[in-house]
Each structure stands twice: as structure tokens, then as C-alpha cells.
Amino acid sequence: MKKNILSFLILVLCSGFFLFSCTSAEAPPNYTQDNNIKTEIPEPEIVLRSIHDDALVGSPAYAQLRYLCKDIGARLSGSENAQKAVEYMHRVLDSMNLDTVYLQPVMVPHWERGEKEFCQILGNNSDKIEQKILDITALGGSVGTNGGLKSEIVAVNSLSDLENLSKKEAKKYEGKIIFVTQPMDAKFINTGSAYGACSSVRVRGANYASKVGAKAFLIRSLTLKNDNHPHTGIMIYQEGGKKIPAAALSTNSANYLEKILTKAQKENKSIEMELQLNCEILPDVLSYNVIGELRGREKPEEIITVGGHLDSWDLGEGAHDDGTGCLQSVEVLRLIQKLENKPKRTIRCVLFMSEENGASGAKEYARVAKEKNENHIAALESDSGGFTPRGFRVQDSTRLKIIQKWQSLFEPYNLHKIEYGFSGVDIRPLEDSGTLLIGLEPDSQRYFDVHHAETDVFENVHEREFLLGAAAMASLTYMMAEYGIE
Amino acid sequence: MKKNILSFLILVLCSGFFLFSCTSAEAPPNYTQDNNIKTEIPEPEIVLRSIHDDALVGSPAYAQLRYLCKDIGARLSGSENAQKAVEYMHRVLDSMNLDTVYLQPVMVPHWERGEKEFCQILGNNSDKIEQKILDITALGGSVGTNGGLKSEIVAVNSLSDLENLSKKEAKKYEGKIIFVTQPMDAKFINTGSAYGACSSVRVRGANYASKVGAKAFLIRSLTLKNDNHPHTGIMIYQEGGKKIPAAALSTNSANYLEKILTKAQKENKSIEMELQLNCEILPDVLSYNVIGELRGREKPEEIITVGGHLDSWDLGEGAHDDGTGCLQSVEVLRLIQKLENKPKRTIRCVLFMSEENGASGAKEYARVAKEKNENHIAALESDSGGFTPRGFRVQDSTRLKIIQKWQSLFEPYNLHKIEYGFSGVDIRPLEDSGTLLIGLEPDSQRYFDVHHAETDVFENVHEREFLLGAAAMASLTYMMAEYGIE
């Protein structure tokens, strides 16, 4: 008898779980006619449902991402691998029976890391300083150290502290290695905001260090995770300033260095460091944006660009940054191509080159668009990782309302967050011509764990999360292509 | 000059990214007075912000989860490890200076797996059948095979096909091993719904196989991921029916077996299988629910229960199922304890025993509550994994509106989804006394990859995702405790 009750209760619970947890997304699509739409195309509810069905069952996108990451790998702007990636994605688009597929030439920067970096704290028996090797990576665009350099290492708490040193204070940093300890702030809910609030340390910091006569510049990697993987990323030298080597320590190494520097300062001791960066800046190289297009059936002159960037840093495989954005954009074309009707407006997938090193591909795409007097009504970028989509960031507070009108269509797919926000670096140059700029917003918690680090590999991309992102992009792209954004 | 423009553009973009991506969650809390709240307690916006700050910086919960998973490990109901977990969590609550901490005794089922299972397809040269070992796990509650059994294996497409076999068809399954190939449906957006739609195959399937005289019953593991890890879970024998052994194959093994069975059927060949399950059902054991309480400062008799289940399956470490729910519930007490005022109503953290094997801990907690005539106004459970929280499932369509009133307070923390849905197995028995039942809803995409499998380990829990879940629970618990749910 006891078992009977138990059994009954659990059966109720199991079926209960099913019934209760069936949200509208799971319910069959709504077939009622909307008389406001004077067209024979199916109801948007039905189209968005079939887009998601096709994405979740039998999509080739994840296997294509695997090839890009495992068979080609990292795709640093100007590198041989970047060229291989251009050729592979060109083949993929060519095989899709699109209306147009082409390469758009663009000159891109070519920075190379050279041999792996070396960084160690020099031991000092009299001061009881332990010799220790630290995890380090050169920042993208940095000059090398011309062999190793040895110097005292000194800590500064933040970029603004470094920026605002008095002449007198500045003196004591001359000829030394400056380490700005400033971490990303874990209290931000969205890690992208924590990154945005801290990224100028990496981008501009070396210039302030150079101004006070420092020999080299170190930062704590821009991540909220404590581990041994340093994170690279672009840094920019100020015109006319002295170029000093710049690098990032893993968070574990940064924590260790900060701790012993604090102790040494209390005890009036100094700590010497040996640093070697073998990177160099080479002449610009000819490369390409990879472009494929579905021409609009009624308004072909109105263009919607969907894209991500094909280049990556040389650590890891550029899986989340931004292999996922590239294959999601290609998948948008495939998913919309599978629908009964061709899209009303033109949908163009653009895989931008050299986003990490200054977005020259993005600028060239916008320049050509302007030159040809093309009408770019909207652009959608995925460059925040291939994680579960949460919604869209719309970079125009007025036209945001147009997208928000469709909120109820997106919510069954757990796309609740349609807010004002930054879209993406690659579509940004289209803003001057009035294009509506939109960024896919995936869940942000894990992105900066792997961003620009050797852990950004295919194995860390979850197939369903990645495909749901592609389906979200295809859904919004379809709505804009079919119904416009007026 | 080129560099100047480049540098300028990137600086704009970096700061731009910061400005654009700052949502209200990142902005300083809003200090405006709400005159509807006649109390001196701080504005809810401020309290929820401080709850999230405390969770994201310096919480002990992730280290406690590590201990539960790595130092204790799997905690099967009735096992020695389950007792160790009871003692550890009791110590944790005891150390928190709560108003009440106690163990609630309950008799629980004790099922043991015994030696690892063995399953292989028997080779057959004349029929060109290759011998192959398959990945398998016994289902929880199953009887063993009393040594190995050998028999022909036959496939059935679904539970309903098995349920609806005609007498004539049924004959051909007599004395054989039945394999129901039915997979979870990848088209569901929320994987919990895909699980709910399929779980009765695991829970009830063996009874239908037994009715047609099968020797044993196999299913495809309940997961959407293709890998070599079989997933266990409860199965229930019907009173009076013959108990036959029941087990789950890994999805890769199930795919292989389905393929060769289809081929064999076409060629009129049969396939023999050897199966050994060493599990057994032992007498019930005395165990405990672990309980800690913060007494309400004004309405101590009104109780809000927050909880998860302390037991787990014996594969993996019970990390997401449900170590995260337990430590998140303990963290709710810590976060609310840190606030200036004691909560207005009583908050009780309950770590339920034996959820996986029939929820006897849950039923005992509800029985005692009724016996003591306690007033349980609400209960909140976390038992869907420690992933990024998306919102709450409220198991009452009327009182759902009360919780939805607070939506704007939760949205800055990306908690958008406050919908009708099933709460949780452990709080379910409280429903009879009118308690409002709520389940934390985390992102569901990765949960069933690890659910009931050896991959449910600490390393697969992301610290920030887990802590944001605890902060979401603490935020809702605080609102209900302070403002009630009338």
C-alpha cells in the first residue's frame, strides 16, 4: 500500500512537472489570422516556431564551428590562419546556393606575438624574496622588450591614480615596471559592464606609464575568474609618446604579485622582475571580409546586415570570440532560406576581418556601403559569446520601441531583454548612415572567463545555447526583413 | 595620423561599451521615498542591491558546495555519505548564529547499486553481429539481475507503443529484453519540459514491459546531449506486478543499439544481449531533514520555507542536483541575516532528505508542519540546477500576480521570467495547507547534460551563476518576509 501511494505521488509529480512547466513556447503555434497583415505569408508566431525547430534539430552550424576552431584554430588578423578562415567561410557560403557570395578586400594590421613571453620575480635571499615565474601574455599591438629587461616592479591601484600622479610622485616610477592592480568589479550583474568599466586600463594604460618614464607596463587580466590563464586584448599607443612593452598577468599571478608587493612596501624592500616579450608589429596585410547575401523579394535595395568577426586573438581558438557570432550569422541565412518565401528585404551576412586589431574590416564595409550609396536599414551583430540568448541591445532609444513591439513574439523563446545598449564594434561604423544597430545579448556570466584567453576553445561552446542564439538572430532578422522597422 | 584615428575610435568604443551597456542594475540604487510603505526599513531597491553585492563578493557558499561535493561526494538516500552530509550541513547551520537549528528525523528508502553494471551485445559471426560493451546504469529502485542474464533485445519506439501492444504483438516480446528508444524532444525550448514529457518512460516503463513478459527493460538516458554517460533516476514498480530489472543506456550506446537493431530487423536477424545489474533494495534507514531558522521580528508565526534536497544519486557528486539548491538556501539565511533588520516573518531553511527516492523527507516535513498547526505562507525551492537565474515558477495562477507586482525590482538582476509553473518536489506536500509554492527558474540548457549522471560534479558549477541564484532567492524571500503575500 505504502508503495502504491509513493508510486501514485511520483507519477503525479512527473506528469505534473510536464504540465506545469509547459510554457507557451512549448504550446503549438497560434493559427489565428492577424488582419492587420495584408499578406499571404504565415503568421510570425508560426515562422519563429519553425525557425527554432530547424535550428534545434539538424543544424550544420555547430559542426562548422568545430572545423573553424579545431581544424583552423586561432585567426589573428594578418596571419596565415586568418586567410585559411577566409577561404573556409567562403566555401561554406558558396555551398549554400545564395544570391551573392564575395570577398571584400581590406588592408589589416599584422601584429605577431613571436616566442612565448617570460616573466619572473627575481629571488633575493637577503630580502627573503622567493623567485617565481608568473603567467603572462603580451597585449595586442605592444612592442617587444628586445630580449629580456630587468627592473624594479611597482604597483599602482588604478588607472586614474596613475593618470593623476603629481610630478614629485611620478619621479619614483622612472625606469621601473608599473603594475596597475585594478580588477574588474564583481558587483556588476552584467559582466560586459564590468569589462567596459575597466578596459581602458588595458587600452590606454601603457601611455600613462610611459609618460612617467616607466620601462614596461603590466595589468591584471580582464576577467572575474581567478585562474592561471592570462587574457590578451588590444592596446593603443598615443601618437608621439614613447612605446613601452605592455602585458597582462593571469589573475592568480596578479594576486600573488600584489600580495608580495604590499608586504615588500611595508618592509621597505623592493622587488625586481625579469620580463621578456617577443612580439612585433609587421607591415599591414591584404585580407578580406567574407560576404553572402539573400536578395529581398520585394525591397532588395533595403539591406539588413547580420554578422560577427572572423579574426580572433592568437590564444585559444576564438570560439566564443567570435567564431560563434560568425557561424550564427551564416545560420541566420540558412534558417531564413528554409522558409517558404524569400525575405521581403535583402539579408546580408558579413564576416568582418580584424575586429580585434582596430576594426579595419568594419570600417571598409561601411566605406564601401556609403560609396555605393546602399540603403542599410538595420545591422545585427553577435560578438558577446555563444551563450543562451537573453535578448537584444538596441543602440537607438527611439527605434528601440519598434523592436519592443515584437517582445511578445520573442518571449516564448526566453528573449525577455530588449533594451537600449551598445550593439557591436563591427557594425558601429554604419551608424553615420542612420542604420539601426542591434547586438545579440547572450547570458554574460561565463564570457569573460574565456575572452581573449587560451580557454576560448570549441569545447566551451554549448551546442543548444549557441543554436538558440542563431535562432534568436534569425527571428529578429526575419521580422525586420518582412515587416520593416518604420 | 591613421593610428590617431584608430586610437580615438577604439577609446570611444571602449568607453562607449561601458556607457551603453550600463543597465539600471549597474546604476546606483534609487533613494526616492515610497510613501505607500509605512516603515523605517530601507527601500527594497537598496536592500536587493546590497543582497546582490554581498552574494557576489566574499560569499562562503561556493567553498561550502566544494566541500559537500569533493570532500563528501554523492549522497544516496540511506547511505553513509548521506549521513555525513547531514552532519556537515548541521555544522554549517550551527556556526551561523541562527535562532533555531535542528535535525528532523525521517525513515528513508535504501537502495544500493552494488558492483558496476555490465551490458554487452553478444557477437555472432554467422550473422555478422559485432560484440560490443554498452554504457549502462541501473535505474534507482530497480531489482538486480541475480547474476547475468542473456536474452534477445528488441526495440519499441515509445512508451505508448509499448502500452498499446495488442495481445498478438505482445507475444513476441515474451522472455526478451525490451528497449524503448524514445528520446527527449530537442524542440522544446526549456529542457525541463522535454524531460517532463519523457520521464514517465523511465518511471513507469518497466511495468508495461513486465506485463508482456519481458525479462528486463532498457531506456535511452534522459538527456539532450550525445555522450557516453548514462543517467539514472527513480523507477517505480506497480503494486502486484512482476519486478523486472530496469536500466538506462548512454545516448551514444542507445544510438548504436537502435541502429543495429533496425538493420537486424530488416535482415530478419536477432540480436542477443548480456545484462548484469547488481543493485538491491535494503530496509529503510533513519535519516534527517536539516533545518535552520531566522525568527521573524514581528510575525514569527508566519513561516517562509526555502530549500533544496540534500540527498543525490550515487553517480557524480550531486552538484547541480541538488548541492547548489542546498547551499543557495543556506546562503539566503546568511544574506538576510546581514541586513540591518531581522526579517518581519520567519525564514526557515530546510535541506530535505531522500527527494530522489520518493520524497519521504518532504512528506515528513509537511506532516509535522500540519501536526504543529504551523502557518506556512510560502515555500521556495531550488532544484533545477545552479545556473544563471531567469526568474521564478509560481504554482498558483492567482497569487502569481502578487509576485509579478515586484517584477520591476527583479529585472535589474536579469530576472524577467515570473510565470505559472511547477515549483519543486520537496515543497509540493505543503500545497494541501495552502502554502504558496515557488521554484527558482535557472537557465535550463545545461541541466540535463549532467542530471543524474557522473558528470554532475562541482567543476560544472559556475560560481557567479550559482551565487546569482542565491541572491535571486534571497531577494524574493526578503520581499515576501517583509511585505507578505496578501
Side-chain angles (χ1 to χ4, degrees), chain A residues 1-4 6-7 9-14 16-18 20-23 25-26 49 52-53 56-57 186-193 195-197 199 203-204 224 234 236-237 239 284 357-358 363 388-390 393 395 412-414 416-417 419-422 425 428 443 445-446 449 462 464-465 468, chain B residues 1-4 6-7 9-14 16-18 20-23 25-26 49 52-53 56-57 186-193 195-197 199 203-204 224 234 236-237 239 284 357-358 363 388-390 393 395 412-414 416-417 419-422 425 428 443 445-446 449 462 464-465 468:
Chain A
M1 192 52 202
K2 180 156 172 275
K3 267 231 153 28
N4 245 349
L6 174 64
S7 132
L9 175 68
I10 296 212
L11 297 187
V12 168
L13 291 179
C14 293
F17 187 81
F18 172 43
F20 286 130
S21 58
C22 260
T23 70
E26 325 301 0
R49 181 69 250 183
H52 280 80
D53 290 349
L56 289 171
V57 179
K187 291 182 177 178
F188 283 99
I189 303 303
N190 299 306
T191 62
S193 305
Y195 176 75
S199 59
V203 177
R204 302 186 290 147
L224 289 163
I234 196 69
I236 308 290
Y237 291 116
E239 194 79 3
D284 288 2
N357 297 55
K363 283 176 263 176
T388 304
R390 306 296 301 261
R393 295 187 302 261
Q395 201 172 322
Y413 306 100
N414 296 330
H416 299 91
K417 208 175 165 190
E419 294 175 353
Y420 179 79
F422 178 65
V425 169
R428 173 75 176 62
D443 190 85
Q445 296 311 317
R446 283 172 290 144
D449 295 356
H462 187 274
R464 279 179 61 91
E465 292 183 351
L468 284 168
Chain B
M1 191 52 200
K2 180 155 172 276
K3 264 228 157 22
N4 243 348
L6 173 65
S7 132
L9 174 68
I10 297 213
L11 298 188
V12 168
L13 291 179
C14 293
F17 185 56
F18 172 41
F20 288 129
S21 57
C22 259
T23 70
E26 326 300 3
R49 181 70 250 183
H52 281 79
D53 289 350
L56 289 171
V57 179
K187 289 181 178 178
F188 282 99
I189 302 304
N190 298 308
T191 61
S193 305
Y195 176 76
S199 58
V203 178
R204 301 186 290 146
L224 289 163
I234 195 71
I236 309 287
Y237 290 115
E239 196 77 5
D284 288 2
N357 296 54
K363 281 174 266 176
T388 304
R390 305 296 301 262
R393 297 188 302 261
Q395 202 172 318
Y413 305 100
N414 296 329
H416 299 92
K417 209 175 165 191
E419 295 175 353
Y420 180 80
F422 178 65
V425 168
R428 172 76 175 64
D443 191 85
Q445 296 311 316
R446 284 172 289 143
D449 294 358
H462 187 273
R464 277 180 63 92
E465 294 183 349
L468 285 168

Side-chain angles (χ1 to χ4, degrees), chain B residues 313-353:
Chain B
W313 286 108
D314 55 333
L315 309 174
E317 299 164 0
H320 279 289
D321 187 13
D322 184 23
T324 52
C326 290
L327 274 315
Q328 283 171 330
S329 301
V330 172
E331 180 71 356
V332 167
L333 292 185
R334 190 189 72 87
L335 291 169
I336 291 181
Q337 203 176 20
K338 280 193 78 174
L339 301 174
E340 260 173 55
N341 305 303
K342 283 199 80 170
K344 191 168 176 180
R345 293 169 177 80
T346 293
I347 299 172
R348 186 186 290 170
C349 166
V350 183
L351 311 179
F352 296 92
M353 183 48 68

Side-chain angles (χ1 to χ4, degrees), chain B residues 123-428:
Chain B
N124 177 335
N125 290 336
S126 55
D127 283 352
K128 299 205 183 59
I129 308 285
E130 195 186 326
Q131 171 158 328
K132 189 178 169 69
I133 292 176
L134 303 180
D135 313 307
I136 196 159
T137 181
L139 296 183
S142 171
V143 295
T145 52
N146 295 317
L149 69 81
K150 289 183 184 181
S151 177
E152 184 184 346
I153 169 90
V154 285
V156 179
N157 289 332
S158 69
L159 185 63
S160 58
D161 284 4
L162 180 59
E163 208 173 336
N164 302 319
L165 285 175
S166 70
K167 273 218 169 60
K168 187 154 153 293
E169 297 167 308
K171 265 264 167 266
K172 73 170 198 262
Y173 295 97
E174 214 172 301
K176 299 179 180 170
I177 300 171
I178 291 182
F179 167 38
V180 170
T181 59
Q182 188 174 336
M184 268 167 63
D185 183 351
K187 289 181 178 178
F188 282 99
I189 302 304
N190 298 308
T191 61
S193 305
Y195 176 76
C198 199
S199 58
S200 54
V201 179
R202 187 195 72 215
V203 178
R204 301 186 290 146
N207 298 306
Y208 296 106
S210 165
K211 278 203 187 101
V212 299
K215 261 194 191 160
F217 175 71
L218 301 186
I219 65 167
R220 175 193 305 271
S221 284
L222 296 182
T223 174
L224 289 163
K225 194 163 194 256
N226 287 324
D227 61 23
N228 300 322
H229 306 292
H231 296 233
T232 188
I234 195 71
M235 62 82 54
I236 309 287
Y237 290 115
Q238 218 160 39
E239 196 77 5
K242 181 163 185 295
K243 297 178 178 181
I244 63 170
L249 296 165
S250 72
T251 41
N252 283 349
S253 288
N255 293 338
Y256 176 85
L257 180 58
E258 187 174 5
K259 201 180 77 215
I260 64 166
L261 282 172
T262 310
K263 186 166 175 293
Q265 194 181 22
K266 284 205 190 94
E267 298 167 355
N268 258 314
K269 296 172 181 169
S270 69
I271 293 181
E272 296 283 314
M273 174 178 275
E274 180 181 358
L275 177 67
Q276 181 168 353
L277 308 185
N278 305 302
C279 41
E280 55 179 336
I281 301 163
L282 302 166
D284 288 2
V285 171
L286 174 66
S287 188
Y288 304 91
N289 295 324
V290 185
I291 301 177
E293 182 175 289
L294 277 176
R295 202 162 300 119
R297 70 173 191 277
E298 284 181 33
K299 300 188 167 187
E301 71 289 354
E302 294 188 17
I303 300 166
I304 298 165
T305 294
V306 294
H309 63 86
L310 190 49
D311 66 303
S312 77
W313 286 108
D314 55 333
L315 309 174
E317 299 164 0
H320 279 289
D321 187 13
D322 184 23
T324 52
C326 290
L327 274 315
Q328 283 171 330
S329 301
V330 172
E331 180 71 356
V332 167
L333 292 185
R334 190 189 72 87
L335 291 169
I336 291 181
Q337 203 176 20
K338 280 193 78 174
L339 301 174
E340 260 173 55
N341 305 303
K342 283 199 80 170
K344 191 168 176 180
R345 293 169 177 80
T346 293
I347 299 172
R348 186 186 290 170
C349 166
V350 183
L351 311 179
F352 296 92
M353 183 48 68
S354 198
E355 186 267 353
E356 302 291 6
N357 296 54
S360 43
K363 281 174 266 176
E364 179 61 9
Y365 179 71
R367 189 193 66 74
V368 173
K370 198 162 191 174
E371 187 178 78
K372 291 187 179 173
N373 200 19
E374 290 178 339
N375 179 10
H376 286 260
I377 66 166
L380 171 60
E381 176 161 359
S382 168
D383 187 21
S384 305
F387 305 97
T388 304
R390 305 296 301 262
F392 305 100
R393 297 188 302 261
V394 180
Q395 202 172 318
D396 178 327
S397 50
T398 315
R399 286 178 291 178
L400 167 62
K401 294 173 186 60
I402 298 166
I403 309 301
Q404 283 173 329
K405 276 190 325 198
W406 296 325
Q407 178 118 22
S408 64
L409 289 169
F410 297 136
E411 283 186 348
Y413 305 100
N414 296 329
L415 302 168
H416 299 92
K417 209 175 165 191
I418 301 179
E419 295 175 353
Y420 180 80
F422 178 65
S423 55
V425 168
D426 293 295
I427 56 176
R428 172 76 175 64

Side-chain angles (χ1 to χ4, degrees), chain A residues 203-477:
Chain A
V203 177
R204 302 186 290 147
N207 298 307
Y208 296 107
S210 164
K211 278 206 188 101
V212 299
K215 259 191 192 162
F217 175 72
L218 301 186
I219 65 166
R220 172 194 308 270
S221 284
L222 296 181
T223 176
L224 289 163
K225 193 162 194 253
N226 286 325
D227 63 21
N228 301 322
H229 305 292
H231 296 234
T232 188
I234 196 69
M235 61 83 54
I236 308 290
Y237 291 116
Q238 216 161 40
E239 194 79 3
K242 180 163 186 297
K243 297 178 178 179
I244 62 170
L249 295 165
S250 72
T251 40
N252 283 349
S253 288
N255 293 340
Y256 176 84
L257 180 58
E258 187 174 3
K259 198 180 78 212
I260 64 166
L261 282 172
T262 310
K263 185 165 175 293
Q265 194 182 22
K266 285 207 192 96
E267 298 167 353
N268 257 315
K269 297 171 182 171
S270 70
I271 293 179
E272 296 283 313
M273 173 178 275
E274 180 180 358
L275 177 67
Q276 181 166 353
L277 309 184
N278 306 301
C279 43
E280 53 179 339
I281 301 162
L282 302 164
D284 288 2
V285 172
L286 174 66
S287 187
Y288 304 91
N289 295 326
V290 185
I291 301 177
E293 184 175 289
L294 279 174
R295 202 164 298 115
R297 70 174 193 275
E298 285 182 31
K299 299 188 167 187
E301 73 287 354
E302 294 188 15
I303 300 165
I304 298 164
T305 294
V306 294
H309 63 85
L310 191 49
D311 66 304
S312 76
W313 286 108
D314 56 335
L315 310 174
E317 299 164 359
H320 280 288
D321 187 13
D322 183 26
T324 51
C326 289
L327 275 314
Q328 284 170 328
S329 301
V330 173
E331 180 71 357
V332 167
L333 292 185
R334 190 188 73 87
L335 290 169
I336 290 181
Q337 203 177 19
K338 282 194 79 173
L339 301 174
E340 261 174 53
N341 306 300
K342 283 200 79 171
K344 191 168 179 182
R345 294 167 176 81
T346 292
I347 299 171
R348 187 186 290 170
C349 165
V350 183
L351 311 179
F352 296 92
M353 185 47 68
S354 199
E355 186 267 355
E356 301 291 6
N357 297 55
S360 44
K363 283 176 263 176
E364 179 62 8
Y365 179 71
R367 189 193 66 73
V368 172
K370 200 162 191 174
E371 185 178 82
K372 292 188 178 170
N373 200 20
E374 290 177 339
N375 179 11
H376 288 260
I377 65 165
L380 170 60
E381 176 161 359
S382 169
D383 188 20
S384 305
F387 305 97
T388 304
R390 306 296 301 261
F392 304 100
R393 295 187 302 261
V394 180
Q395 201 172 322
D396 178 327
S397 51
T398 314
R399 287 179 289 178
L400 165 63
K401 295 174 185 56
I402 299 166
I403 308 302
Q404 283 173 331
K405 274 190 327 198
W406 296 326
Q407 177 115 24
S408 64
L409 290 169
F410 297 136
E411 283 186 349
Y413 306 100
N414 296 330
L415 303 167
H416 299 91
K417 208 175 165 190
I418 301 178
E419 294 175 353
Y420 179 79
F422 178 65
S423 56
V425 169
D426 294 295
I427 57 177
R428 173 75 176 62
L430 289 170
E431 194 175 26
D432 308 343
S433 42
T435 308
L436 178 60
L437 305 181
I438 307 174
L440 176 70
E441 174 147 333
D443 190 85
S444 74
Q445 296 311 317
R446 283 172 290 144
Y447 188 46
F448 291 95
D449 295 356
V450 301
H451 179 255
H452 297 180
E454 64 188 358
T455 47
D456 187 11
V457 294
F458 174 76
E459 291 74 7
N460 290 330
V461 179
H462 187 274
E463 183 168 14
R464 279 179 61 91
E465 292 183 351
F466 160 71
L467 293 172
L468 284 168
M473 292 172 74
S475 299
L476 176 57
T477 304

